[in-house]
Amino acid sequence: MSDVATPDLSVVVPCYNERESLPAFADELSRVLGPMRAEKGLCFELVLVDDGSSDGTLDVMRSLAERDDLPCQVRWISFSRNFGKESALIAGLEAARGACVATMDADLQDPPSLLPEMYDLLCAGDCDSVATRRVTRAGEPPIRSACARLFYRVINRISDADIVDGARDFRLMSRPMVDAVLSLGERNRFTKGIYGWVGFRTVWLPYENVERVAGETKWSFFKLAAYALDGITAFSTAPLAFASVMGIALCLVALAFAIFVIVRAALFGDPVDGWPSLMTVILLVAGVQLLCLGVIGQYLAKTYLETKRRPLYLVRERGEGPCARETGDGRGEGDAAGGAAR
Ligand code: UDP
Ligand code: MG
């Protein structure tokens, strides 16, 4: 067992209005971590990040920190407002002190029961990260699934971040990988892409999709679409190249059209009847120009935001509960098992 200052495993959980899910999550987590502590003598910490919740999530966190039946030390960070899941994840990773760190959602859609297997895989030493992937999208609107699939296809084509379709943010990382993720100083954080970009050896664990235990998803279709656009602009400059290619293609079309008009005028004279085709071309070119300007604007906006170097999140308060007791329920279970074996 390592000393208390360096837990063997930190579990980071971003929480936004998760008052109803958090207690169930803590119970399930302790059901899983208890035996791990008893069998292997491991030391855990739970880092809860309150992303500006307005439903009393922070009070739940405080009361969890006071519970002495949990096999982990509970630490919490509360933001001054809602900064988004990406910021909450990064705050949790920065605060985590563990030799390895797991990130997971509070709604039990990332089953804690996978943690022992993930931990064993990581300890086996063949990988730096154990990540999870949903194999089904059951319970999700079909249009959302179709858009998600299209997004993964596009981003993998146009960027060098290897992003796996169905990848969850539920993953266990070794300390070197966590440090690598934290070393990327960009403000516009698209974690799925960052994990792929930093590399390291990753083992994928597939699992069936699970419905959230309580509350509702914080992601509307438009939020997801904006998130997808963020991902593309963060990891690829292909849309800028697309703007140039469109420009060149249109120049070629215009040239061909000009030749056609000149040849037609030479052969058949110059009847003044080109108004509709002229308007069509003007509108098309204007539309493409605006589109390209918009694409460039997206990158300019991102650059502008990056240059401000604003913090990713602001902490209103933080706290921590006492260290998990050395002899808890888990230890008792271990003794009982030992007794049975004897
Ligand atoms: N979350 C967060 N900040 C936000 C939105 C979500 O910290 O602005 C947390 C949320 O509490 C949950 C996790 O991110 O623990 C995933 O959110 P959700 O379950 O709504 O996403 P979904 O599973 O539907 O993709
Ligand atoms: Mg969820």
Side-chain angles (χ1 to χ4, degrees):
M1 192 197 308
S2 62
D3 58 305
V4 178
T6 315
D8 298 286
L9 167 65
S10 301
V11 178
V12 168
V13 186
C15 306
Y16 179 49
N17 291 344
E18 299 286 3
R19 185 188 56 192
E20 291 162 43
S21 321
L22 252 187
F25 172 80
D27 289 341
E28 175 65 12
L29 189 71
S30 82
R31 204 183 57 73
V32 172
L33 296 187
M36 279 174 84
R37 187 169 74 143
E39 284 158 21
K40 301 180 183 148
L42 299 175
C43 167
F44 304 111
E45 75 172 356
L46 173 61
V47 182
L48 299 170
V49 185
D50 167 30
D51 186 11
S53 303
S54 54
D55 70 341
T57 299
L58 181 56
D59 295 332
V60 179
M61 288 181 182
R62 286 203 189 96
S63 61
L64 284 179
E66 278 162 21
R67 267 172 64 172
D68 60 1
D69 61 326
L70 296 178
C72 48
Q73 185 189 17
V74 178
R75 300 168 61 214
W76 49 265
I77 301 165
S78 179
F79 287 177
S80 60
R81 65 168 171 85
N82 179 245
F83 280 89
K85 182 180 176 184
E86 299 291 336
S87 298
L89 271 177
I90 216 72
L93 288 180
E94 279 173 358
R97 298 173 296 195
C100 60
V101 183
T103 54
M104 56 200 304
D105 291 358
D107 56 9
L108 287 177
Q109 281 192 301
D110 300 334
S113 54
L114 288 178
L115 276 174
E117 187 185 351
M118 294 166 78
Y119 189 78
D120 289 345
L121 278 169
L122 195 74
C123 287
D126 294 334
C127 60
D128 307 285
S129 160
V130 183
T132 57
R133 192 169 72 81
R134 296 193 290 184
V135 284
T136 55
R137 287 184 170 271
E140 203 180 66
I143 177 91
R144 191 165 150 173
S145 304
C147 290
R149 285 210 186 87
L150 178 70
F151 166 71
Y152 284 113
R153 263 221 297 280
V154 169
I155 196 154
N156 280 320
R157 268 271 172 86
I158 63 176
S159 80
D160 55 3
D162 181 20
I163 302 175
V164 175
D165 186 1
R168 300 278 308 172
D169 285 338
F170 180 23
R171 64 163 70 211
L172 179 66
M173 289 172 279
S174 63
R175 178 47 59 184
M177 176 152 174
V178 174
D179 291 342
V181 168
L182 289 176
S183 71
L184 268 67
E186 63 216 70
R187 268 63 301 253
N188 176 29
R189 293 194 84 91
F190 183 69
T191 312
K192 282 186 180 35
I194 289 177
Y195 290 150
W197 189 89
V198 294
F200 291 88
R201 287 162 303 174
T202 300
V203 171
W204 288 94
L205 276 188
Y207 74 98
E208 297 277 326
N209 194 24
V210 188
E211 295 281 315
R212 67 165 28 245
V213 64
E216 53 192 44
T217 177
K218 316 294 179 306
W219 296 88
S220 65
F221 185 81
F222 289 106
K223 255 185 152 180
L224 273 177
Y227 183 64
L229 273 183
D230 267 354
I232 289 175
T233 47
F235 278 91
S236 172
T237 48
L240 285 175
F242 166 80
S244 318
V245 170
M246 280 301 270
I248 293 170
L250 271 178
C251 284
L252 291 177
V253 170
L255 191 69
F257 193 66
I259 292 171
F260 167 73
V261 170
I262 291 168
V263 171
R264 193 180 62 169
L267 292 181
F268 306 108
D270 186 19
V272 191
D273 61 355
W275 192 80
S277 55
L278 193 66
M279 280 311 287
T280 311
V281 171
I282 288 176
L283 283 180
L284 175 74
V285 172
V288 171
Q289 273 181 347
L290 276 183
L291 174 77
C292 295
L293 266 181
V295 170
I296 294 167
Q298 283 292 321
Y299 284 90
L300 189 65
K302 292 275 144 52
T303 315
Y304 171 64
L305 291 176
E306 293 285 335
T307 53
K308 289 191 184 197
R309 316 259 349 128
R310 281 188 180 159
L312 281 168
Y313 57 88
L314 293 170
V315 176
R316 197 165 69 86
E317 57 179 289
R318 60 172 83 218
E320 59 187 46
C323 291
R325 280 186 296 138
E326 285 302 311
T327 49
D329 296 344
R331 176 63 62 88
E333 281 164 29
D335 285 346
R342 276 193 299 275

